[in-house]
Amino acid sequence: MYVNDILSMIEKQRDEVEKELLLNLDSDVQMVNEVASYVFESGGKRLRPVFLILSSLLCGYDGYRTAALSGVVEYIHTATLLHDDVIDGAMYRRGRKSANTVFGNDITVLCGDFLYSRAFMNLVKDGNPEIQMTLAVAARTMSEGEVFQLIKTADIKITMDDYLKIINSKTAILFSSCCEIGALLGGQSVDKRAALRDFGRNLGIAFQMSDDILDYLGDEAKTGKKPGTDLKEGKITLPVIVLLENAAEEEKVKVREIIVNENSDEENLNYIIDLMKKYDVKRKSEEILDRYSAKAKENLKLFPENKYREALESLADYMIKREK
Amino acid sequence: MYVNDILSMIEKQRDEVEKELLLNLDSDVQMVNEVASYVFESGGKRLRPVFLILSSLLCGYDGYRTAALSGVVEYIHTATLLHDDVIDGAMYRRGRKSANTVFGNDITVLCGDFLYSRAFMNLVKDGNPEIQMTLAVAARTMSEGEVFQLIKTADIKITMDDYLKIINSKTAILFSSCCEIGALLGGQSVDKRAALRDFGRNLGIAFQMSDDILDYLGDEAKTGKKPGTDLKEGKITLPVIVLLENAAEEEKVKVREIIVNENSDEENLNYIIDLMKKYDVKRKSEEILDRYSAKAKENLKLFPENKYREALESLADYMIKREK
């Protein structure tokens, strides 16, 4: 199934999510609405809502709660983006100036807090304790994961397990929650709920790994990003971990030195990228990623073969194949 | 009733709150627990829990939910303190280095988020939708109020209404929520719920006004703070508003100039403080404050005269009389 066909199939629901996102920006402090509108009107793929919508439809639910809860998830996601951009000092987001660049760090942190509280209000309105707890745990895991990632900055002793923990927190848990919410809205069995939760997690892990591979080994013309951003920020991701597993001892020493000293000039970046090419790091990383992607599709087998399942499967492929 | 007698009366409940605060610092990311412990172990008067406890007792409730919900309120309060200290670049908090000084801005923002999410989890566990909504609205109002305060920084056109809106958001709404939660725990009538909500709000306003008066006109030996911090941060509070209402035209011009240019050196600060003394600003400000304090006590008249009501009344006096 092509992405455009999938998006057309859920056009009505996606429109409702867009309305929902702007509907709640009802602060009597105009600046709050202004910052939030700036962020939401700058687009973004609304991937999490798409997964929530499709999971709900797969589980037989197509009511108004889908848009409301998609809004909640997107508010939580956006709150974390706002806080992350402040923390990373990011200048740009989605191809235009980041909120912190335009409005300053102070207001951006507070607008993140506003979106958290707005998400929380709408979750209380929805009233389902299981959905509430799913997202409360996700929010908690996300903030813990960010702290963990900060601690592990430029730490060359980072393990594959540490890396998985970080990407589970920063990406996979919220995808996982979206898919699980679909099952909860559809009143599905414990088994199916767990299957969709696992689908979302595996998919989220594969998605983040794909992003991390592209950061070093993507084609700048296609990704639109300069390679090596993660290296600059001291984030040690899959390609570096795979490289360190494969490189010769003296190469490892040099790579570690570059990372520890946060010395990511062009020469050093090119040195690392060349090593990655030498050791076929892209293919090796993609093999790891493919395992998660395959697991994700396996998780869907519990569900009947219909267009929604097919859409979720196709989307899982699309998300990790982009820009390859 | 003396403060110490009040505190002894609710010693058991206060101990449970202290346990509760540390109980939930169970992150498997040790740094998160470390930051949170640092903040909670640095003391603090736990004023909000005290009001929640006394309101609950006044309403006939003395169960385990008091400690759980006091914990929630204190987590929300602490999350806002952490974010505020980052925004204000505060070096100290409660007489020792602030969390942002010790752990850095990044980790401090994220630990604030962690406490928000932890508060939210415990609110979901508690399961009462009215209490959840009360605190969701409070959290929303607090973040909006902080943005509003930032916008109004050094804005000499600030009105008394703007000021009231700011202190309602930053202080009064959470006290109001604490007292309202007491009524909800005790299953009280709508009237009594509203009365306790209003009590908390009026008390919170009086408390913040008292703090703002002391910032200019307090005795440094007693408050332990250098006067004029608010002026330095461009926060225009009650004493300045009262001064501008009373000063002669040429004095107003100079005061406005000092504020707009954020020129708060010692000479200018002393100029303003001398003017405040000349126009009896302390007494005039206290008259305004006393109206809120009186209203707060009026709000309690709906309740039987017992030791809990007496404790709340005495505490209301104590909170605004400190360091006078």
Side-chain angles (χ1 to χ4, degrees), chain A residues 232-251:
Chain A
K232 262 201 197 79
E233 294 175 356
K235 288 175 188 159
I236 303 171
T237 57
L238 185 62
V240 174
I241 293 172
V242 171
L243 176 60
L244 288 172
E245 277 170 6
N246 286 276
E249 201 48 53
E250 70 274 18
E251 291 163 340

Side-chain angles (χ1 to χ4, degrees), chain A residues 24 26-32 76 79-80 83-84 86-88 105-107 109-111 113-125 129-130 132-133 135-137 139-148 150-151 165, chain B residues 24 26-32 76 79-80 83-84 86-88 105-107 109-111 113-125 129-130 132-133 135-137 139-148 150-151 165:
Chain A
N24 296 295
D26 52 0
S27 174
D28 61 350
V29 178
Q30 267 310 317
M31 177 61 89
V32 172
I76 294 175
T80 64
H83 287 182
D84 287 358
V86 168
I87 287 167
D88 295 339
N105 283 346
D106 301 352
I107 286 191
V109 168
L110 293 169
C111 285
D113 292 349
F114 172 78
L115 288 178
Y116 273 129
S117 65
R118 213 61 193 73
F120 178 33
M121 277 179 74
N122 287 3
L123 265 178
V124 172
K125 270 188 208 156
E130 285 177 302
Q132 289 169 348
M133 192 50 94
L135 285 173
V137 170
R140 173 195 150 149
T141 307
M142 288 163 87
S143 60
E144 290 173 322
E146 287 289 334
V147 173
F148 190 61
L150 273 178
I151 296 169
K165 183 171 167 177
Chain B
N24 295 294
D26 51 1
S27 174
D28 61 351
V29 178
Q30 266 311 315
M31 175 63 89
V32 172
I76 294 175
T80 66
H83 287 182
D84 287 358
V86 168
I87 287 167
D88 296 340
N105 283 345
D106 302 352
I107 284 188
V109 168
L110 293 169
C111 285
D113 292 348
F114 172 78
L115 289 178
Y116 272 130
S117 65
R118 212 61 193 73
F120 179 31
M121 276 179 74
N122 286 2
L123 266 177
V124 173
K125 269 189 211 156
E130 287 178 300
Q132 289 169 349
M133 192 50 93
L135 286 173
V137 170
R140 174 197 149 145
T141 308
M142 290 164 86
S143 61
E144 289 174 324
E146 287 288 334
V147 173
F148 190 62
L150 272 178
I151 296 168
K165 184 172 166 176

Side-chain angles (χ1 to χ4, degrees), chain B residues 198-227:
Chain B
D198 291 347
F199 166 74
R201 195 182 54 245
N202 287 320
L203 165 108
I205 289 173
F207 174 55
Q208 186 60 51
M209 285 179 165
S210 145
D211 218 53
D212 291 345
I213 296 170
L214 290 172
D215 189 72
Y216 285 94
L217 300 162
D219 181 346
E220 192 181 337
K222 288 188 203 157
T223 62
K225 286 187 212 168
K226 272 213 174 311

